[in-house]
Amino acid sequence: MKILVLNCGSSSIKYQFIDVDKCYVLSKGMVSRIGMSGAVLVHKPHDRPEVTISGEMLDHIQAIEHVIAMLLSPNHGVIRDKSEIEAVGHRVVHGGERFPHSVLIDQEVMQVLRSCIQLAPLHNPHNIRGINACKQILAGVPQVAVFDTAFHQKMPPYAYIYGIPYVLYKRYGIRRYGFHGPSHFYVSHRAAKMMNRPIERLKMITCHLGNGASMAAIKGGISVDTSMGFTPLEGLLMGTRSGDLDPAIILHIMAREELSLHEANTLLNKHSGLQGISGISGDMRDIIGEAQKGNSFAQLALDVYCYRIRKYIGAYAAVLGGVDALIFTAGIGENSSLIRKKSCENLEFLGLKIDEQKNQKASSKQAMEIQSEDSKTKVFCIPTNEELVIALETKRVIREAKEKQKMLKGV
Ligand code: AMP
């Protein structure tokens, strides 16, 4: 089964076209600057060089039309006919409590998705735009929504309830949801496979360290706690997001600086984190580069970043009652030996020790173990593969829907 996996943002779309039965990526790419002047599509077929085109792409419909034209292109394409796209799997950021698992998209689902917009106003509207565009361009092709939040929906109430009046949870759904679900799911399963042990018996801590960053405590394959909360702002320090913060600080700054809600939101989401502390950049490569040159603000940002990861490792080891495996993934987790090393400092009391030579060798090219011989806890660096999880989920949901239909027809 060939599945188009889409991750639609406000002005960008990342895509992969996957033969899910072979777990093989036929082509992948990204459209950026949608709705701006000079939109760009970078497309990489599995067996030919990357190609870049630019032009006007006014909205998601035009962008997805260009992607499909690329898939069909005699020079750069991988299919002869549109009908070879058998399904579309969408990354949808927020599924609220209504969607604890992936769903086949129909009118009713769309209505609920629209009601989830208020939970993720920065993400869900663009995901919905992508779904509507596909409905128009690929009429009749089944579409499945795979939620960032779904993997964390089995958390116990004491992990997801905040210390505010309970009525606000009931009224507005204010609780911890957690994000990056497909990534935490993928790397935990991959690590269990590498350990040759059933995931049901393992206690794991996963660290998804990208531009957005979150950690999860995973017991027996179930996420029992995670660092992102009601929104993707809570938890670890991120590129431009603050992570954990005394809530009174926001009220204080809003009053002192006379900020509007919108301005406060922008401050916490776009001008905080590594960017905010260093005043240099939200990109970890820049921060490491400047810290190495002796910039004390970059060094402080780096120290805060790793200290907070270490703090969560300790907390989650307590939550799990021990830890069999610690896993690093995503842009920073896969590529920075320095961040992995600093985040694991002084954790020997947990039986966790990194082998620096192995750590240096690890990268986003392959999954590997990086703990020392005498470390009781395994430490992994595993390239994430959220798109594969979305494709596999899409196939599963469509197969189940077909079986249900057959049963109803009495076939
Ligand atoms: P992602 O959101 O998963 O694409 O991750 C983006 C983050 O990964 C950015 O902060 C990048 O600076 C960071 N990153 C990518 N490569 C490296 C590297 N070699 N060393 C440190 N950080 C990296």
Side-chain angles (χ1 to χ4, degrees):
M1 185 178 211
K2 289 177 191 155
I3 295 175
L4 179 62
V5 174
L6 294 179
N7 181 354
C8 296
S10 58
S11 62
S12 71
I13 298 176
K14 287 188 196 148
Y15 65 91
Q16 286 198 8
F17 188 54
I18 299 178
D19 183 333
V20 73
D21 301 314
K22 296 182 183 148
C23 288
Y24 191 72
V25 179
L26 295 164
S27 60
K28 61 180 168 186
M30 178 166 173
V31 190
S32 43
R33 299 183 61 83
I34 299 166
M36 303 177 201
S37 67
V40 178
L41 192 167
V42 180
H43 175 82
K44 172 80 183 81
H46 67 110
D47 54 355
R48 276 151 293 164
E50 189 174 283
V51 53
T52 302
I53 61 159
S54 53
E56 287 304 294
M57 297 183 214
L58 294 180
D59 54 21
H60 284 64
I61 296 180
Q62 288 191 355
I64 293 170
E65 275 172 347
H66 274 88
V67 170
I68 291 168
M70 268 299 183
L71 295 176
L72 286 163
S73 148
N75 293 330
H76 315 293
V78 286
I79 51 173
R80 293 224 173 98
D81 194 275
K82 222 156 87 166
S83 63
E84 289 180 55
I85 303 171
E86 290 167 89
V88 184
H90 292 268
R91 177 196 180 201
V92 179
V93 168
H94 218 308
E97 289 188 324
R98 272 297 299 274
F99 297 119
H101 39 64
S102 315
V103 282
L104 188 64
I105 297 169
D106 58 17
Q107 271 190 349
E108 202 186 317
V109 167
M110 283 307 280
Q111 232 168 20
V112 185
L113 280 182
R114 278 191 280 270
S115 74
C116 288
I117 284 180
Q118 49 185 321
L119 293 173
L122 299 177
H123 297 97
N124 273 27
H126 316 302
N127 304 153
I128 289 172
R129 221 163 273 150
I131 294 168
N132 283 332
C134 288
K135 221 160 107 187
Q136 210 167 306
I137 303 163
L138 296 165
V141 174
Q143 299 195 63
V144 171
V146 180
F147 302 96
D148 256 40
T149 46
F151 181 54
H152 305 294
Q153 275 292 304
K154 289 189 180 142
M155 266 186 291
Y158 54 76
Y160 71 70
I161 288 293
Y162 288 110
I164 53 175
Y166 192 79
V167 67
L168 296 173
Y169 161 57
K170 283 291 170 202
R171 205 179 285 161
Y172 304 118
I174 295 176
R175 50 159 285 179
R176 177 179 310 285
Y177 288 99
F179 299 86
H180 296 138
S183 180
H184 291 293
F185 174 90
Y186 176 80
V187 296
S188 56
H189 278 262
R190 183 91 165 82
K193 217 166 179 186
M194 288 171 78
M195 291 167 84
N196 204 15
R197 287 182 61 188
I199 197 161
E200 292 74 19
R201 300 238 182 99
L202 290 170
K203 297 168 180 173
M204 297 172 151
I205 300 175
T206 47
C207 311
H208 177 107
L209 310 178
N211 266 327
S214 70
M215 288 174 60
I218 300 174
K219 196 171 195 170
I222 289 168
S223 169
V224 292
D225 203 351
T226 188
S227 59
M228 282 181 168
F230 177 59
T231 72
L233 187 56
E234 193 183 345
L236 302 176
L237 194 77
M238 298 173 230
T240 59
R241 291 178 226 160
S242 66
D244 291 337
L245 199 70
D246 174 351
I249 294 172
I250 305 157
L251 307 176
H252 187 78
I253 298 174
M254 284 178 81
R256 296 299 296 259
E257 301 265 325
E258 296 182 13
L259 297 185
S260 66
L261 276 177
H262 176 72
E263 286 165 335
N265 198 30
T266 308
L267 174 82
L268 296 172
N269 278 291
K270 306 263 187 222
H271 302 295
S272 298
L274 294 173
Q275 166 74 54
I277 296 175
S278 71
I280 297 168
S281 166
D283 190 302
M284 186 55 94
R285 282 164 294 200
D286 300 338
I287 298 297
I288 292 174
E290 286 303 310
Q292 278 164 354
K293 283 189 221 154
N295 183 307
S296 59
F297 293 103
Q299 186 60 52
L300 180 61
L302 208 59
D303 291 344
V304 175
Y305 189 88
C306 296
Y307 173 71
R308 208 171 280 185
I309 294 171
R310 257 197 338 267
K311 223 160 81 162
Y312 268 98
I313 293 174
Y316 286 170
V319 163
L320 294 167
V323 47
D324 298 306
L326 172 71
I327 304 151
F328 289 98
T329 192
I332 298 169
E334 292 165 25
N335 292 300
S336 176
S337 57
L338 176 71
I339 299 297
R340 291 191 297 262
K341 182 179 158 198
K342 271 177 77 67
S343 303
C344 291
E345 266 168 12
N346 296 325
L347 293 179
E348 287 83 3
F349 76 99
L350 280 177
L352 194 159
K353 219 163 129 193
I354 273 191
D355 177 314
E356 193 41 29
Q357 265 187 343
K358 289 183 195 161
N359 184 35
Q360 292 282 344
K361 277 193 206 141
S363 75
S364 54
K365 291 207 178 76
Q366 67 173 88
M368 64 180 277
E369 289 181 21
I370 57 168
Q371 77 281 353
S372 64
E373 295 272 314
D374 57 342
S375 178
K376 252 176 44 207
T377 303
K378 300 255 186 204
V379 185
F380 291 91
C381 173
I382 299 181
T384 195
N385 198 340
E386 292 155 291
E387 292 80 8
L388 180 62
V389 173
I390 295 172
L392 288 166
E393 275 292 281
T394 301
K395 180 182 163 186
R396 184 187 63 78
V397 167
I398 290 171
R399 196 187 54 218
E400 279 178 13
K402 277 186 186 153
E403 276 165 13
K404 200 165 147 195
Q405 237 174 11
K406 263 194 209 164
M407 248 172 46
L408 288 174
K409 278 189 194 156
V411 177

